[in-house]
Amino acid sequence: MASKFADRVNNLRLQSQGRANTLKQQSQEKVNTFTHYSQGRVNTLRQQRLPSVPQVLMRSPITKRLRSSSLNAMPPSQTSEDYSTNLADIATHILYRSPLPSQNDLPIFILNAAAFPDTKDIDFDVLLPYVLARFPDEDELIDGKGYEVVFFAGGSDGATSAVKKGRPGWGWFLQAYHVLSRAMRKRLQRLYVVHERNWVRIMIETFSSIVSPKFRKKIVHVSTLSALALYIPIEDLLIPPSTYHYDRGLSSDIHVPYVSGKRAFGVKEPLPTSSTGHVRLPRVLREATSFVLLEENIKTEGIFRINPRTLTVDVLKEAYDRGQKFIVWRDGDSVLTFSHWKEGYGNVMVDEIEQMEGYPLFVAAGLIKQWYSQLREPIFAPSCYAQIERLFGDTNSEIQISQLVELLSVPSEWSLVSQPSRLILTLHLLPLMSKISEYQDWNQMSPYNLAVCFAPSLLRGPDPLRDAKVAGIIRRVLEAAVHHWKTDLAGSCGIDGWDFAEALRVPEAVDEREDKLEEAGTEPNTLDAQSEGIVLIDNDGSDDEGQDRPALPPRPVAAYSDSIQVRRKPAPTLQNPPRYSTIFADSPVDVLQAPGYEAVDEDQSTRTPQ
């Protein structure tokens, strides 16, 4: 029995081994057949000069980038021959540190998409290390609390002539994120994405879903600068001009809680008062005038004659009224900015000011003219037009210095111009025009040309035609005042040559460097201005009881005469009044008829009561 069982086991083993060899041989034949077919297919594609599937994958940008190690987080040393100054300057426009920290005392970095170059001009693989070098180093990140990033993704400045730039592919962004160190990724506390576009949304969703799910919790999406102001004080940020231009295409203004209002333009007191009791220039005039008077700018041809871009002027007006702390002026090689004092930090300056985006010269000149044209009370009020025409309207007679002193001097008692207007003219406008006219051989701005540019800004009456007529006379007055200012007029008006330079200096008192926000409710009421001279009589008052009141107007005559009789169908008489006119007595049985009604017989009634 044992031998028979052993023989049977051996037979089964041989059968299983034979079957396994058969299956192995069949599978090998299938592999050989598939290999032969694939090789033939590859040869056919090569003969047709078409790229094969593996070659197509190798030419894919994402696969090629993922297999490449060309991206580096560190740029070459500045002493190296491979170091590019051009790429370093581009990186300073793309990513820079805002001067003031956040409310959580964290550094804020501004990422400006409008500064991205075109992929056709710059290799982004080479540019990336220069951009990443703008972030804090490893030691600062490890010892610090972290940092925040504000990403202005709007791109172009909203101009119709802007050329669409090429951007890198998705693989570059994924690889760039992995190039960041662990400390740089973990220490990012908040990412504010402003003016988000479709490609930015897709990129961020990819990072949040695939790369790092925790990344989504750090992102704040806002559509405009007004929405960003609900999270962080945007008046502390160094915002590039391109971002303002793009935001203006989405919103007509920027509203910041407890900050927006009037500080510089159209305020009740155009010249603020310092702590010493003397008037001083507002911040907008101080900074814009200082930039115009730079040696490189004052010789520029056409100052105050060439009109700047209106959108840029409106953006700057709103920025000064909002109290934007850092505004960079830049035109060619001339750059100017002003520090801001913050408790615990001292005077905070803008780093790398030469590389920052700024506002050009003609915008500063246009902003000065806008300040004068938007004064709440114009320099020459409409009430003095007649006297100005009488005194200076004769074009054949020359304007005397004594007339100018009487008109412009602050202590003058017979001047046609208000005292605040005379302060503005003698403290700022006339010294500025005189200084610019000294370089008329270069800038072509003679006293006549300057007077032509400024005269319309000093008038704002109800009749534009009358303003245009008086503007010609004001031009003659300004031209004569500028011509005699430096020689005789300034001294006769009690103005020293150093007063203008002193007025342009930054005040020593910290609270005077920024103009105060005008309280709400100080706007002039148009209805009150229209009702000036109208006396309103209170008929319910008791003070004028003994006075004769005016007689009432006669009643209007009837539209028809008494002879015309109106015929109407007589109302039917009722035997019993209806229920709604019935008066009930105390007893439910006794019923009193309504007064004025008399009972009649049924045959005399035209309607039977129900």
Side-chain angles (χ1 to χ4, degrees), residues 198-214:
N198 292 334
W199 70 272
V200 178
R201 170 73 70 173
I202 296 175
M203 181 184 66
I204 293 178
E205 289 297 330
T206 302
F207 285 173
S208 303
S209 303
I210 301 176
V211 180
S212 176
K214 298 180 181 179

Side-chain angles (χ1 to χ4, degrees), residues 111-394:
L111 181 59
N112 185 17
F116 284 165
D118 196 339
T119 53
K120 300 178 182 178
D121 302 330
I122 298 297
D123 186 0
F124 272 63
D125 292 352
V126 184
L127 176 63
L128 179 63
Y130 293 90
V131 177
L132 297 181
R134 309 285 303 167
F135 282 110
D137 53 12
E138 293 291 333
D139 297 336
E140 185 178 357
L141 289 174
I142 293 175
D143 298 337
K145 301 178 182 178
Y147 64 99
E148 299 179 1
V149 175
V150 179
F151 180 26
F152 295 119
S156 62
D157 60 354
T160 57
S161 60
V163 180
K164 185 177 181 180
K165 300 178 182 179
R167 57 175 176 80
W170 306 110
W172 184 86
F173 289 104
L174 293 174
Q175 188 70 5
Y177 180 80
H178 285 289
V179 169
L180 298 175
S181 63
R182 176 179 175 83
M184 192 175 298
R185 285 180 287 180
K186 298 300 181 182
R187 290 294 183 179
L188 176 61
Q189 301 298 322
R190 189 73 63 187
L191 172 61
Y192 300 94
V193 182
V194 191
H195 303 151
E196 188 178 48
R197 296 190 295 175
N198 292 334
W199 70 272
V200 178
R201 170 73 70 173
I202 296 175
M203 181 184 66
I204 293 178
E205 289 297 330
T206 302
F207 285 173
S208 303
S209 303
I210 301 176
V211 180
S212 176
K214 298 180 181 179
F215 187 69
R216 187 190 303 272
K217 300 180 180 179
K218 302 180 180 181
I219 303 175
V220 177
H221 301 274
V222 292
S223 57
T224 60
L225 291 177
S226 299
L228 179 63
L230 300 178
Y231 295 92
I232 57 177
I234 65 172
E235 65 273 12
D236 294 345
L237 299 179
L238 180 57
I239 303 177
S242 55
T243 301
Y244 284 125
H245 294 164
Y246 190 88
D247 187 81
R248 188 52 60 95
L250 303 176
S251 177
S252 59
D253 59 353
I254 301 173
H255 179 73
V256 181
Y258 308 106
V259 174
S260 294
K262 286 184 177 294
R263 298 174 186 267
F265 293 87
V267 294
K268 185 177 181 180
E269 297 182 359
L271 295 181
T273 305
S274 62
S275 57
T276 59
H278 299 84
V279 295
R280 60 178 178 85
L281 293 179
R283 178 193 169 195
V284 57
L285 286 187
R286 189 175 66 242
E287 295 185 358
T289 305
S290 300
F291 185 65
V292 169
L293 295 180
L294 291 180
E295 185 178 359
E296 300 84 357
N297 296 336
I298 197 172
K299 297 182 179 181
T300 304
E301 183 177 353
I303 304 178
F304 297 109
R305 180 175 56 84
I306 300 177
N307 294 326
R309 187 179 178 184
T310 306
L311 177 61
T312 307
V313 175
D314 293 340
V315 163
L316 268 181
K317 285 167 48 182
E318 192 176 48
Y320 275 107
D321 277 336
R322 185 173 57 250
Q324 199 72 28
K325 294 181 174 57
F326 300 100
I327 296 177
V328 179
W329 296 97
R330 180 179 182 181
D331 197 317
D333 296 333
S334 59
V335 185
L336 182 65
T337 189
F338 296 88
S339 62
H340 174 75
W341 191 90
K342 182 177 177 62
E343 186 176 357
Y345 293 89
N347 289 326
V348 181
M349 295 291 297
V350 178
D351 297 334
E352 298 174 325
I353 182 177
E354 292 80 6
Q355 283 75 31
M356 295 294 102
E357 293 186 34
Y359 299 95
L361 169 64
F362 296 112
V363 174
L367 200 65
I368 295 175
K369 291 196 297 184
Q370 282 287 327
W371 186 86
Y372 278 96
S373 63
Q374 293 191 2
L375 287 173
R376 185 172 296 185
E377 295 293 336
I379 298 296
F380 296 95
S383 58
C384 66
Y385 284 2
Q387 296 295 330
I388 290 177
E389 291 176 340
R390 183 180 62 83
L391 295 175
F392 307 102
D394 188 4

Side-chain angles (χ1 to χ4, degrees), residues 373 378-381 385 454-461 466-468 470-472 474:
S373 63
I379 298 296
F380 296 95
Y385 284 2
F454 274 98
S457 302
L458 308 181
L459 305 171
R460 192 175 67 253
R466 184 74 183 280
D467 290 347
V470 178
I474 299 300

